[in-house]
């Protein structure tokens, strides 16, 4: 792994100068914190990243976990990581003080995860899933369930997973078939198989708490008959000790990347002895699970970006150290070679990476900030709804931009290294394998795009989108004060106006009630929406950077940092924003080419 | 591997209906052939692909070659493949009858390689490099050299490689430092190291014929002091037997993909006993090597496309067989799931793959056809130059489109499979790892883009580009006869006019002699040029398909085939061609953002 995998200066800038997350402290729930305690958390994350995670990055990929005699053994570094992470209080940190947490804002917890994920993107899977599962129990569990599971999970003694996918269902959750049969004691007997369960088995913790979607006998078909169950790998028997709960690891997937985290094929109740505990309401499993899934979506978007951050710094270091060729205007063939960072095309690739990493990170952290703002405005329904609508609208795009553009960025990083990038001698090839999963996890890009256009834009009659327009307009309004940003806020407003037209066209497409026509090009709509959102982030960065530059006392590296922000903003607006033109062109085009017609099949 | 990795019907269509390669037979050099003999070659390639190559695709990736005691051992299937390929006469086929060949047009040989490469993309590396090295000896060798090496290479008893890259030089060939010291007997002692030598060592053949760029003692610095040498792994001693020639395998690279072909770090003359034979003229090594390199570039572009073909058919089969979800307009939630090929977004991904695979293949085969046309017009310098200029112009884009868009297509294929695509249970993850090398081999995309814009467009005062415009105009003219193609030839002409403006802007950029400004966005120019070229190919396919459809006797699958061509043409024009808009926007933009400025560094 390269020495540097992220920029703390950029993270602090985004958190404190752009998003101004310190304002959260004004709210009662976060009052125990200040900028310093936030900083301590990030320092701690950096220490763990440097000392435990980065050193194991390569080896834990080469020695991937195997399933032997029904048990998965993971790399030794995973043991150390989970122990250290939990003992440092990072698992419980975002939870309430009642459960031993420190009520850390989620945006700070996410920033800590960004740091750690940049050092080792598979390791954070374990802890992220456990936090998500614990949050579900925290939100929907009854007092007994909370008492039984939360302390163990928040201390890292037990881990958690989410079990949705089944062989026959895939992304179509309405086809979930795992059965739950009510028992006299109020528990359920669970029977069925789940696939692609990340961290679904390991030998680090005594127990694994699976959150399982299943169908209670006689429940309605479709999504309205799905309930959510806590299904531990081992259950607590009457003697208070752990006993097997008939959860079997029946297969392990060998994957292209993220090899340190096993993806499991699990069987529940193969011997008809798997006990599950209903979590929350009967038949409300899917909407409840969305709480975890939406958090996981942000986590996956972040995954794309933290991997891209590691790739960016590895490529940057290589470009700064690798002499090759001469500047293109050099007339003398025999002067010493220059480092490749001097070549415009290499600079273009690095700028693109930087623009994606810092812009994407900013978009995702803004979503986490909305989560915190929702939390602190629990007693102001309108304000809470405001943030909730923005969050629901932006979650699919934060996930998708991070996944898809993170993939682009990592592959640009690999390209900077030339042939070396393709070899195991540098981390790029592994990062490129790792990042490829992000557009598949937690709903593929196609699923996210349909959720965006179908549910959040059209399904919502554009209400959330109007709120989003207003938020962008606020930024533009602020930018109007800066002469040097005028080209850019103008460009963004112009693109936004075109996007409005494009969106009107989508409403027209939907007017006939034809969902296939509406959603056929949802992916392109998503791609354009992602570019606009990150352009918006860059405009926010530009405003904050101008403030920094306006202070004449700021000199040296700090001034260069702010100038670099302005340069990257310019890069994004000159190179990335124009890409919406081709997308808009297609999105205004009403020629239908991809709708299935049974009479004209075999056309592909 | 999926059952089908390519479409023979599409290949025949492209060769015989679009490119009309049968017309080559009218020329004396190819007179021994007819459409049937071409067909036999393709049948033979299909047999080898099915029987020997495809079955070894997965295993030869999982058990990658290792360097042990100075010797690389490759997978057993490689032995069988090289033997069968050579015995079938495929190694010698494109060579003249004088050397045991059958004077097969290169476009047919390339089509055969497409078939085989779609079944196993690493295996064809061995034979392709050997053919390329043999062609170099055939072209520049003296009678003794030809007699010593060609029969052995064309029979597959010895393999060949190309040795350009050195640690300190990378893409900058002017920095090649391997030394060649003249000996009294007319040979040279070679001393130096070469890296990334594909198939640079193996245990299949008795000998390996390395073609090595080196610098004769006292030669001018830079590219004008580089000569080309034949440096066999084993030399023939006075007794007529093979003896070691001091060529050592000192390292093997472990790569992300294409694992069945070792990339070697070789040392020549570590014991000062490595003999090389000058090939061709002193200090003309680089232009001579370009003969092999240009052929290799086409081969790499083809590599991207044949891998994308395998990925396309694997994804198509999965989409046709995998039930999941319901059609988006289905009101009843409980009907049986449909196969995912019915979902518009899946269809969009499959269409994109098909458009890239068939359009890219067509562009590359057209380049091979130019090679054949150059050959048969050897005695008509103007005609020969015409094809040569087109070939030189299109070689970088054929390479780059195949590499970059092949990568896009394979990753779309992986996406079609959802989570399964990321696992080793399907070939997609391996194909995605394999295809990633193509934008690095034989000059990265950045290098190709500079060659295109710097050398072939501006360096050439636009002469080649004018010829290309005329060729495209001919197709448009032909398309004007078809009412159903009118939207598309109009779209292409309109894009071509904009491209002319964009090109004029590049000439203006170059007017000040500032090569950094000219080439800073060469990659974007390349990307747009690739889209235009493939749009052109699709218009040619449309014309040929319309001809097919005009014949009322054509019914059933054949009619569906032609209709599918028209549909894919439409897809390309509605989804891919509009992408040039964003690229053109940036290419007309004169704001410079990526030029290195030593006074303002650390800005990235």
């Amino acid at each position: 792994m390269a020495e540097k995998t992220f920029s703390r200066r950029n993270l602090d800038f985004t958190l404190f100068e752009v998003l101004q997350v310190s304002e959260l402290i004004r709210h009662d729930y976060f009052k125990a914190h200040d900028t310093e305690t936030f900083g301590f958390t990030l320092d701690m994350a950096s220490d763990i990243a440097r000392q435990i995670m980065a050193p194991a990055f390569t080896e834990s990929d080469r020695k991937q976990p195997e399933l032997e005699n029904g048990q998965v053994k993971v790399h030794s570094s995973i043991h150390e990581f989970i122990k250290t992470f939990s003992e440092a209080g990072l698992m419980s940190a975002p939870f309430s003080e009642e459960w031993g947490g420190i009520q850390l804002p989620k945006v700070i917890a996410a920033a800590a995860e960004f740091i750690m994920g940049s050092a080792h993107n598979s390791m954070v899977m374990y802890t992220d899933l456990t936090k998500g599962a614990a949050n579900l129990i925290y939100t929907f569990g009854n007092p007994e369930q909370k008492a039984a599971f939360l302390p163990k999970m928040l201390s890292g003694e037990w881990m958690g997973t989410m079990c949705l996918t089944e062989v026959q269902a895939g992304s179509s959750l309405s086809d979930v078939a795992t059965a739950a049969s009510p028992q006299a004691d109020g528990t359920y007997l669970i029977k069925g198989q789940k696939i692609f369960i990340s961290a679904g088995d390991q030998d680090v913790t005594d127990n694994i708490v699976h959150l399982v979607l299943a169908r209670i006998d006689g429940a309605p078909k479709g999504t309205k008959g799905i309930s959510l169950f806590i299904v531990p790998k081992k259950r607590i028997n009457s003697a208070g000790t752990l006993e097997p709960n008939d959860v079997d690891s029946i297969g392990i997937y060998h994957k292209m990347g993220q090899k340190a985290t096993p993806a499991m094929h699990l069987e529940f109740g193969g011997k008809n002895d798997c006990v599950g505990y209903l979590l929350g309401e009967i038949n409300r499993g899917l909407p409840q699970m969305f709480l975890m899934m939406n958090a996981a979506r942000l986590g996956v978007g972040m995954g794309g970006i933290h991997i891209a951050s590691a790739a960016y710094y590895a490529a940057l270091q290589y470009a700064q150290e690798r002499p090759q060729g001469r500047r293109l205007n050099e007339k003398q063939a025999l002067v010493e070679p220059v480092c490749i960072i001097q070549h415009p095309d290499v600079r273009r690739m690095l700028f693109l990476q930087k623009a994606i990493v810092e812009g994407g990170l900013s978009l995702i952290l803004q979503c986490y900030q909305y989560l915190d703002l929702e939390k602190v405005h629990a007693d102001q329904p309108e304000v809470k709804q405001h943030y909730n609508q923005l969050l629901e609208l932006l979650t699919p795009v934060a996930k998708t931009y991070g996944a898809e553009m993170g993939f682009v960025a990592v592959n640009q990083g690999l390209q900077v290294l030339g042939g070396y990038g393709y070899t195991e001698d540098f981390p790029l090839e592994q990062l490129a394998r790792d990042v490829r999963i992000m557009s598949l996890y937690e709903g593929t890009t196609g699923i996210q795009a349909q959720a965006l256009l179908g549910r959040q834009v059209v399904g919502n009659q554009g209400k959330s989108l109007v709120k989003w327009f207003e938020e962008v307009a606020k930024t533009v309004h602020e930018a109007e004060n800066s002469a040097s940003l005028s080209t850019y806020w103008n460009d963004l407003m112009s693109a936004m106006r075109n996007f409005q037209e494009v969106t009107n066209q989508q409403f027209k497409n939907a007017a006939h009630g034809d969902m296939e026509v509406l959603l056929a090009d949802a992916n392109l709509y998503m791609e354009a929406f992602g570019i606009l959102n990150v352009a918006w982030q860059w405009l926010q960065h530009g405003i904050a950077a101008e403030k920094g530059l306006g202070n004449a006392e700021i000199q040296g590296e700090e001034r260069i940092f702010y100038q670099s922000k302005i340069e990257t903003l310019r890069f994004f607006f000159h190179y990335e924003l124009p890409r919406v033109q081709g997308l808009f062109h297609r999105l205004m085009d009403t020629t239908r080419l991809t709708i299935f017609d049974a009479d004209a099949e075999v056309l592909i």
Side-chain angles (χ1 to χ4, degrees), chain A residues 307-509:
Chain A
I307 297 175
S309 177
Y312 168 60
Y313 286 102
L316 181 62
Q317 183 183 340
Y318 184 86
Q320 285 167 334
E321 294 174 357
R322 167 69 172 163
Q324 193 182 299
R326 280 124 203 113
R327 291 192 66 175
L328 291 162
N329 290 334
E330 181 60 59
K331 306 288 179 210
Q332 290 182 283
L334 311 179
V335 297
E336 284 295 295
V338 298
C339 285
I340 62 170
I341 198 167
Q342 298 193 23
H343 299 318
D345 191 52
V346 172
R347 299 175 72 74
R348 184 185 59 77
M349 293 194 280
L350 291 169
F351 264 125
L352 178 58
Q353 292 177 71
K354 180 175 160 76
I356 292 169
V357 169
E358 297 181 4
L361 173 64
S362 187
L363 175 62
I364 296 165
L365 288 178
Q366 184 176 288
C367 288
Y368 280 104
Q369 188 182 25
Y370 289 152
L371 269 172
D372 291 322
L373 289 167
E374 227 190 314
K375 174 90 188 171
V376 297
H377 292 101
D379 50 357
Q380 290 164 269
E382 269 188 40
V383 184
K384 185 182 162 172
Q385 197 203 16
H386 169 81
Y387 290 116
N388 180 264
Q389 283 184 326
L390 286 169
L391 180 63
E392 296 259 318
L393 177 70
L394 296 186
T395 295
V397 73
K399 191 272 180 184
T400 303
Y401 191 88
E404 294 283 341
M405 294 309 293
F407 176 73
V408 168
V410 173
N411 277 288
Q412 288 284 286
L414 192 156
Q415 192 73 13
V416 167
L417 273 72
Y420 286 110
Y422 196 65
T423 70
E424 293 186 359
D425 300 354
F426 288 86
L428 278 304
E429 75 83 25
Q430 183 182 343
L431 293 168
R433 287 187 287 105
D434 289 347
V435 77
R436 184 61 187 82
I437 188 63
M438 299 300 161
S439 61
L440 301 163
Y441 271 160
E442 308 306 335
T444 62
T445 294
I447 298 280
Q448 304 299 328
Q450 294 184 15
L452 171 69
L453 182 57
R455 204 173 306 143
Q456 299 301 328
V457 174
V458 172
N460 188 291
Q461 289 88 44
K463 281 181 203 152
S464 302
L465 206 62
V466 168
K467 283 195 185 296
W468 175 77
F469 271 108
E470 288 167 1
E471 294 294 310
V472 179
K474 272 186 223 166
T475 304
V476 167
H477 187 65
E478 226 185 312
E480 284 169 3
N481 298 322
S482 156
S484 65
L485 295 176
S486 75
T487 312
Y488 304 108
W489 65 256
N490 268 308
D491 285 353
L492 181 57
M493 277 318 284
S494 154
M496 291 288 284
R497 275 189 293 272
N498 294 337
F499 184 63
Q500 228 154 358
E501 273 178 57
V502 161
T503 302
N504 290 341
Q505 179 60 49
Q506 309 311 305
F507 275 91
K508 281 184 210 159
N509 293 348

Side-chain angles (χ1 to χ4, degrees), chain A residues 164-165 169-176 213 215 223 226 286 290 293:
Chain A
L164 285 74
T165 307
S171 299
S172 177
L173 292 174
S174 61
D175 292 312
V176 158
L213 288 184
R215 206 175 280 286
T223 53
I226 297 175
L286 205 56
F290 260 93
M293 215 139 69

Side-chain angles (χ1 to χ4, degrees), chain A residues 133 136 161-163 209-213 229-230 279 289 292:
Chain A
L136 218 48
T161 78
M162 59 197 293
C163 301
V209 182
H210 302 291
L211 292 182
V212 178
L213 288 184
F229 297 88
I230 303 172
L279 181 61
M289 188 53 118
M292 180 168 182

Side-chain angles (χ1 to χ4, degrees), chain A residues 117-371:
Chain A
S118 74
H120 196 312
N121 62 76
S122 297
M123 281 188 182
V124 292
M125 292 286 294
Y126 294 85
T127 47
D128 211 32
L129 285 162
T130 303
K131 281 196 285 179
N135 194 38
L136 218 48
I137 296 173
Y138 173 76
T139 308
F140 298 110
N142 60 36
E144 295 73 31
Q145 289 171 336
K146 289 189 193 180
F149 294 102
L150 283 184
K152 292 285 190 188
M153 293 172 81
L154 297 184
S155 65
E157 285 170 85
W158 297 354
M159 296 274 109
T161 78
M162 59 197 293
C163 301
L164 285 74
T165 307
E166 298 177 10
V167 173
Q168 82 295 341
S171 299
S172 177
L173 292 174
S174 61
D175 292 312
V176 158
T178 294
S181 308
Q183 303 300 295
D185 65 354
T187 66
Y188 292 78
L189 273 188
I190 307 294
K191 194 170 178 64
Q193 296 186 6
K194 297 283 180 180
I195 59 172
F196 298 144
I197 308 308
S198 293
D201 195 10
Q202 33 82 359
D203 58 336
V204 179
T205 59
D206 289 341
N207 204 358
I208 302 175
V209 182
H210 302 291
L211 292 182
V212 178
L213 288 184
R215 206 175 280 286
I216 297 174
D217 298 348
K221 288 194 175 178
T223 53
K224 289 175 182 165
I226 297 175
S227 301
L228 181 56
F229 297 88
I230 303 172
V231 187
K233 183 179 179 182
K234 292 179 185 164
R235 64 192 177 219
I236 307 170
N237 62 20
S238 51
T241 59
L242 292 176
E243 66 179 24
N245 190 31
D246 192 16
V247 179
D248 277 338
S249 295
I250 58 174
I252 185 168
Y253 294 95
H254 285 144
K255 296 169 295 170
M256 182 192 233
Q258 278 223 325
K259 295 191 181 194
T261 311
M264 300 303 302
H265 185 165
L266 298 180
E267 177 165 36
F268 296 90
K271 303 184 217 53
N272 295 314
D273 185 31
C274 176
V275 176
Y277 312 98
L278 178 71
L279 181 61
E281 290 177 50
I282 285 179
N283 294 342
R284 294 283 299 160
L286 205 56
Q288 291 175 185
M289 188 53 118
F290 260 93
L291 180 77
M292 180 168 182
M293 215 139 69
N294 279 334
R297 283 175 181 182
L298 292 181
V300 172
M302 182 71 98
I305 296 298
H306 59 55
I307 297 175
S309 177
Y312 168 60
Y313 286 102
L316 181 62
Q317 183 183 340
Y318 184 86
Q320 285 167 334
E321 294 174 357
R322 167 69 172 163
Q324 193 182 299
R326 280 124 203 113
R327 291 192 66 175
L328 291 162
N329 290 334
E330 181 60 59
K331 306 288 179 210
Q332 290 182 283
L334 311 179
V335 297
E336 284 295 295
V338 298
C339 285
I340 62 170
I341 198 167
Q342 298 193 23
H343 299 318
D345 191 52
V346 172
R347 299 175 72 74
R348 184 185 59 77
M349 293 194 280
L350 291 169
F351 264 125
L352 178 58
Q353 292 177 71
K354 180 175 160 76
I356 292 169
V357 169
E358 297 181 4
L361 173 64
S362 187
L363 175 62
I364 296 165
L365 288 178
Q366 184 176 288
C367 288
Y368 280 104
Q369 188 182 25
Y370 289 152
L371 269 172

